[in-house]
Each structure stands twice: as structure tokens, then as C-alpha cells.
Amino acid sequence: MIDFLDTPEGPDWLHDAINSLICGDNVTAPRAHGKLVALVTPQSLWEALAEHLGAQEHIAPLLTDNREYPIERMICTIIADGRRVHGAAHDLACEALGLPKGKYSPTALHDVAEALIRPHANEYGRARAEEMAADRAADLAEQRKADAA
């Protein structure tokens, strides 16, 4: 099977998924007949961000084992809202995270989010293909029903 990220839809999906995750939304995949399934949750981003911050040499390890992740949530919110909204706080949040590793990533937070999402891209691609096949089958059945009438 082709890697979903190599398809025309793949890079756009990854970009949108990263931004959605940073903004606090689940990254989901469709199901042919049912609810969406969560691939990556904001909680997992906050946990990964806590690990990322703990690995930064210029930041002391986080002092609490708080499963609410208020610092990580605050950083995600500041970066999601952008520099126009938060000004210097945005710059400080980016500085705290360190430089992005990805050539096209605006912040290290985007790198962390991408690392969480990328392994689920093919799962999303398969689910999307199944959803589209089910939609086509339903449309074909409706068309046959209309033709028979």
C-alpha cells in the first residue's frame, strides 16, 4: 500500500492535523459506518511536550507530576493563538521549546505534534479510503434503486 503522506491529500492532512492537535482537538480518522476514532489526543501532546521540555538543557525538569499538564497546555494555547495575540509570551514559549528540528516547522511544538501524528497517517488513509468506498457503494445502491423505480 502507498504511504498516505505520499498522496496529494497526505501533506495537507498532516498540516491540518498538527494545527488541530496544537489547538486542543483530537486527530481523528473516519469509520465507514460510525463515530470517528481518535488517533491522537491533546493529552498525548501535553505528555510528549512535558518530555520534550524535560530534555531541554536550559530548562530545569518540571517540578510536579501533574496529570493536568497546565504548563504544557498554556504553551500550546500561546503558540496556537500566535504572536499577534500573545506577543512576547509567544516568543518566550518558542524559546522555551528550543529550535524546531523540521525544516518547515515554525516551532518545536509542531515537531512534537508531527512526531505523534505521523505514525497514524496510513491508518487515517485506510479509514478514509474505506469511508469513501462505503459512500460510493451507498450512492450506487441509491442510483440502482432510483433506476429501478
Side-chain angles (χ1 to χ4, degrees), residues 22-45:
I22 290 171
C23 289
D25 296 327
N26 288 336
V27 175
T28 60
R31 288 189 179 163
H33 301 287
K35 297 182 195 177
L36 298 174
V37 60
L39 300 174
V40 184
T41 65
Q43 178 76 20
S44 60
L45 176 62

Side-chain angles (χ1 to χ4, degrees), residues 3 5 13-14 40 113-122:
D3 187 359
L5 293 178
W13 172 82
L14 181 62
V40 184
E114 181 177 347
L116 288 171
I117 296 167
R118 188 173 278 280
H120 297 284
N122 287 333

Side-chain angles (χ1 to χ4, degrees), residues 6-92:
D6 292 335
T7 67
E9 186 181 334
D12 289 337
W13 172 82
L14 181 62
H15 178 268
D16 293 344
I18 289 168
N19 289 329
S20 292
L21 186 62
I22 290 171
C23 289
D25 296 327
N26 288 336
V27 175
T28 60
R31 288 189 179 163
H33 301 287
K35 297 182 195 177
L36 298 174
V37 60
L39 300 174
V40 184
T41 65
Q43 178 76 20
S44 60
L45 176 62
W46 303 331
E47 291 169 1
L49 184 55
E51 290 177 22
H52 174 80
L53 288 171
Q56 298 297 309
E57 294 177 9
H58 61 280
I59 298 176
L62 299 177
L63 301 175
T64 64
D65 185 22
N66 185 344
R67 295 293 175 212
E68 298 291 318
Y69 298 100
I71 294 169
E72 293 77 12
R73 289 170 48 203
M74 177 183 64
I75 289 172
C76 288
T77 299
I78 289 170
I79 290 177
D81 289 344
R83 191 172 199 294
R84 262 187 291 147
V85 174
H86 294 290
H90 179 269
D91 294 342
L92 290 171

